[in-house]
């Protein structure tokens, strides 16, 4: 697809600090006078937010990995068509809390959905669209659990309720994706918030300088 804006994604498990990271990215782009929008996955449109609710709600019925993956890509297709692609075409930057790399890590590496299936669905949902920069906030499952529990949430959602072994597979999946991939920046999210923010700003500044 033809576009003038830049597409930046933040990836990582719940508790990695993506909300804080997005805030740091917003301040950086505001300082540079860059027009941008912030969105999330699954979600970003009314329909996609409804699908998000279906995906994260705890339930007795087992959701198969393929069903979960199809729901994610249904929401993603709507999100890209209605929000992300128009913004990029208009020259805006898009900051997105998770994108298809999350599916590769969670549903692929952790749940065992074949990579070929995920890539086929990605080609249908967002043909030709990949992030310009992916900031992966890397943290151990143990630290992530501590942060989630310390956030004062009344309960964990369906994904947060998975065990540590699941999140170890997720983490391994992300690190495998990042290895040798120039669009990935792996950031130690166990570091102090201000240090994490500095790394995010450094990479965004480099991307913005390259775009001018």
């Amino acid at each position: 697809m033809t576009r003038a804006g830049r597409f930046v994604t933040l990836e990582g498990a719940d508790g990695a600090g993506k909300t804080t990271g997005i805030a740091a990215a917003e301040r950086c782009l505001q300082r540079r006078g860059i027009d941008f929008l912030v969105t999330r996955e699954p979600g970003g449109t009314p329909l996609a937010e409804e699908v998000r609710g279906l995906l994260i709600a705890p339930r007795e019925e087992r959701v198969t990995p393929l069903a979960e993956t199809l729901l994610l890509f249904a929401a993603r297709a709507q999100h890209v068509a209605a929000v992300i692609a128009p913004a990029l075409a208009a020259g805006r930057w898009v900051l997105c809390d998770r994108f298809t790399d999350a599916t590769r890590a969670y549903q692929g590496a952790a749940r065992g959905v074949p990579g070929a299936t995920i890539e086929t669905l990605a080609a249908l949902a967002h043909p030709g669209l990949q992030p310009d920069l992916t900031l992966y906030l890397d943290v151990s499952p143990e630290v992530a659990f501590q942060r989630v529990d310390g956030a004062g949430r009344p309960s964990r959602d369906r994904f947060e309720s998975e065990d540590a072994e699941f999140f170890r597979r997720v983490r391994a999946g992300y690190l495998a994706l990042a290895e040798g991939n120039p669009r990935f920046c792996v950031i130690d999210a166990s570091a102090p918030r201000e240090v994490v923010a500095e790394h995010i700003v450094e990479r965004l500044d480099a991307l913005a300088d390259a775009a001018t």
Side-chain angles (χ1 to χ4, degrees):
M1 61 176 283
T2 301
R3 57 191 172 94
R6 293 293 180 268
F7 185 27
V8 179
T9 57
L10 273 81
E11 297 282 356
D14 288 309
K18 289 185 285 80
T19 300
T20 302
I22 287 282
E26 288 185 75
R27 291 192 296 271
C28 175
L29 297 186
Q30 288 168 348
R31 171 176 54 81
R32 297 188 68 111
I34 293 172
D35 185 20
F36 69 93
L37 68 83
V38 177
T39 189
R40 70 175 183 176
E41 289 228 333
T45 79
L47 174 61
E49 290 291 337
E50 289 185 38
V51 177
R52 179 188 182 90
L54 291 173
L55 282 162
I56 69 174
R59 62 184 71 247
E60 293 183 6
E61 178 185 10
R62 177 181 177 270
V63 181
T64 70
L66 180 58
E68 187 176 89
T69 303
L70 291 171
L71 283 169
L72 283 162
F73 273 109
R76 184 164 296 137
Q78 181 70 12
H79 188 203
V80 169
V83 176
I84 296 175
L88 292 172
R92 303 182 74 191
W93 284 43
V94 175
L95 299 177
C96 191
D97 183 344
R98 294 203 178 111
F99 195 60
T100 299
D101 290 317
T103 307
R104 294 174 176 123
Y106 277 77
Q107 285 68 46
R111 298 227 194 271
V113 175
T117 299
I118 292 173
E119 299 312 318
T120 296
L121 292 169
L124 291 170
H126 52 92
L129 175 63
Q130 293 293 338
D132 296 288
L133 172 64
T134 296
L135 300 162
Y136 169 53
L137 304 183
D138 180 47
V139 69
S140 71
E142 291 74 21
V143 170
F145 284 157
Q146 290 174 1
R147 290 177 176 177
V148 169
D149 291 339
R153 301 179 191 178
S155 62
R156 293 183 179 182
D157 66 32
R158 192 171 64 83
F159 287 94
E160 293 168 345
S161 298
E162 295 286 355
D163 61 19
E165 179 54 36
F166 174 83
F167 285 102
R168 278 191 279 271
R169 295 196 299 271
V170 169
R171 186 185 190 190
Y174 271 125
L175 291 173
L177 288 169
E179 187 174 1
N181 191 333
R183 73 171 167 86
F184 263 85
C185 174
V186 178
I187 298 172
D188 178 6
S190 65
R193 289 183 178 183
E194 59 271 19
V195 174
V196 174
E198 287 174 5
H199 286 303
I200 290 172
V201 169
E202 180 182 304
R203 290 306 299 261
L204 285 175
D205 277 335
L207 182 62
D209 289 341
T212 57

